[in-house]
Amino acid sequence: VAAPRHSVGQSAGLRHAHGVRQPGAAGCPPGHRGRSAQHRSRPANMTVGAADVVTRVIEHGKFKIVIMESPSDDNAAAYIERLRGLGVTDVVRVCEPAYDAARFERERIRVHEMCIPDGAPPPDEMASQWVDLLRLRYKSKDPSELGLVAVHCAAGLGRAPVMAGVALLEMTSLDPLDAVEKIRAKQRGAINAKQLQYLQSYKRTTKGGMMPDGARPCGCTMM
């Protein structure tokens, strides 16, 4: 997928990571460029391999989105290589920064800040920005604006999966429980009770799904 021609920040009113100081949500301090505890520097003689890059591709019909763990400054190059191979054009960071977004920007992968408190669903402002980006990259009538989005939190278990859940609800005809089941099939243990409740009560705002998929309502209960 070719890198989109237009700036998402200009087209959809979204916030860019590179060169912009973000106000941040609770638990997401702005301007931080250090490593979190789980992303401490490796010894100089230790290399980063494919096993250090954790991505989960969630697909339904023609729709595709990528969930991943947070890159660090140590493994950013490996993540960039993986994401370019998948055709990712945009990365959405919903946690505290643990890497320099400029490295991704130089490789034509745009990084967007949509910080969410740990363990929580997205605040309304972040959900709105997220849906704007989804519509631009997946439903634009301008081919140059189409792309593939990846989203990450720290461990890829809560905040990123709930955003992927919103994406499935907005871009496909899946119902909430089917969307969560699809995500958990790729990421075991994803989405906590509070986030599940959020998805179950989520009201879809995008008209028309990506494609007819024959999804049927699920009468099951998910814990």
Side-chain angles (χ1 to χ4, degrees):
V1 179
R5 182 183 65 199
H6 302 301
S7 165
V8 176
Q10 294 172 348
S11 303
L14 302 174
R15 292 174 183 163
H16 242 331
H18 182 42
V20 178
R21 185 174 179 84
Q22 305 295 335
C28 297
H32 175 62
R33 284 293 176 265
R35 298 177 180 86
S36 65
Q38 72 183 72
H39 293 122
R40 293 190 180 97
S41 297
R42 297 168 179 270
N45 62 348
M46 185 177 293
T47 59
V48 175
D52 298 281
V53 178
V54 179
T55 57
R56 310 278 189 237
V57 180
I58 310 298
E59 298 180 82
H60 185 72
K62 293 184 178 180
F63 178 74
K64 182 189 297 184
I65 193 164
V66 178
I67 297 173
M68 53 193 245
E69 292 184 5
S70 176
S72 67
D73 286 331
D74 293 324
N75 63 18
Y79 266 99
I80 289 168
E81 182 178 0
R82 171 74 60 83
L83 295 177
R84 290 185 65 181
L86 291 171
V88 169
T89 55
D90 299 77
V91 167
V92 174
R93 178 162 60 191
V94 298
C95 62
E96 299 81 354
Y99 60 92
D100 184 1
R103 297 181 65 178
F104 288 76
E105 300 271 351
R106 286 194 293 268
E107 299 296 332
R108 298 172 66 85
I109 299 174
R110 301 181 72 82
V111 179
H112 309 272
E113 299 281 14
M114 299 185 193
C115 198
I116 302 172
D118 190 17
D124 290 345
E125 179 186 1
M126 297 299 109
S128 179
Q129 290 183 27
W130 175 239
V131 173
D132 284 344
L133 176 61
L134 294 172
R135 289 172 180 162
L136 187 69
R137 291 297 180 242
Y138 293 102
K139 297 181 73 68
S140 176
K141 294 181 179 180
D142 183 347
S144 69
E145 292 184 333
L146 297 175
L148 175 62
V149 178
V151 57
H152 78 78
C153 51
L157 288 173
R159 291 170 284 183
V162 76
M163 294 288 265
V166 171
L168 286 168
L169 298 181
E170 289 283 353
M171 297 289 112
T172 79
S173 62
L174 282 175
D175 68 20
L177 296 182
D178 286 335
V180 172
E181 184 177 2
K182 183 172 286 288
I183 292 168
R184 286 178 174 174
K186 291 292 187 76
Q187 181 62 67
R188 186 175 180 181
I191 302 177
N192 63 28
K194 182 187 297 184
Q195 293 161 342
L196 175 60
Q197 184 178 23
Y198 171 83
L199 292 174
Q200 288 179 303
S201 63
Y202 185 84
K203 302 299 182 184
R204 191 167 182 265
T205 61
T206 302
K207 295 182 179 180
M210 292 291 293
M211 62 176 294
D213 48 46
R216 292 178 295 176
C218 172
C220 56
T221 300
M222 187 169 290
M223 301 294 289

